[in-house]
Amino acid sequence: VQLVESGGGSVMPGGSLRLSCAASGFTFSSYVMSWYRQAPGKERELVARITSGGGSTNYADSVKDRFTISRDNGKNTVYLQMNSLKPEDTAVYYCNARSPYYVLYWGKGTLVTVSS
């Protein structure tokens, strides 16, 4: 099983980034996919989640109306479009896969830095 995040980097406040998470080694279309983040000195928190078919999403209040999670089950990839980025969005972003039986897989993370 592999979850490989990409797309992180440094951006100025107000900018945008799109994170991708490429999955392999499991039946991607059966898994709920999520993005979490962990800022320095803070606990890991849920950012966004999307159901296996993509029909339902939910977001942390802090990112609603700025971030959009989506998935392409044909490409085994989940995305996180991040707009209007703020310094407080600075964190390592992790991709998470959850099976119907609550088996969890994690990626290694990608760093997002928002700074002027």
Side-chain angles (χ1 to χ4, degrees), residues 49-51 54-59 69-70:
R49 175 169 289 149
I50 187 166
T51 53
S56 180
T57 58
N58 61 280
Y59 298 90
I69 188 170
S70 61

Side-chain angles (χ1 to χ4, degrees), residues 15-104:
S16 298
L17 284 173
R18 188 173 87 149
L19 305 183
S20 300
C21 172
S24 61
F26 62 97
T27 307
F28 180 79
S29 60
S30 296
Y31 281 61
V32 173
M33 298 300 297
S34 302
W35 287 96
Y36 285 74
R37 69 185 181 187
Q38 188 166 19
K42 295 189 176 181
E43 293 188 355
R44 192 173 297 189
E45 64 173 354
L46 175 67
V47 175
R49 175 169 289 149
I50 187 166
T51 53
S52 56
S56 180
T57 58
N58 61 280
Y59 298 90
D61 288 342
S62 58
V63 307
K64 276 181 183 175
D65 301 323
R66 298 190 298 122
F67 290 11
T68 302
I69 188 170
S70 61
R71 65 190 296 160
D72 185 335
N73 285 349
K75 294 182 177 180
N76 287 2
T77 302
V78 62
Y79 305 97
L80 185 68
Q81 178 66 45
M82 306 186 295
N83 298 328
S84 301
L85 282 160
K86 303 175 180 180
E88 51 264 44
D89 295 318
T90 295
V92 177
Y93 284 71
Y94 296 91
C95 179
N96 169 271
R98 191 189 78 199
S99 81
Y101 300 101
Y102 287 80
V103 174
L104 299 178

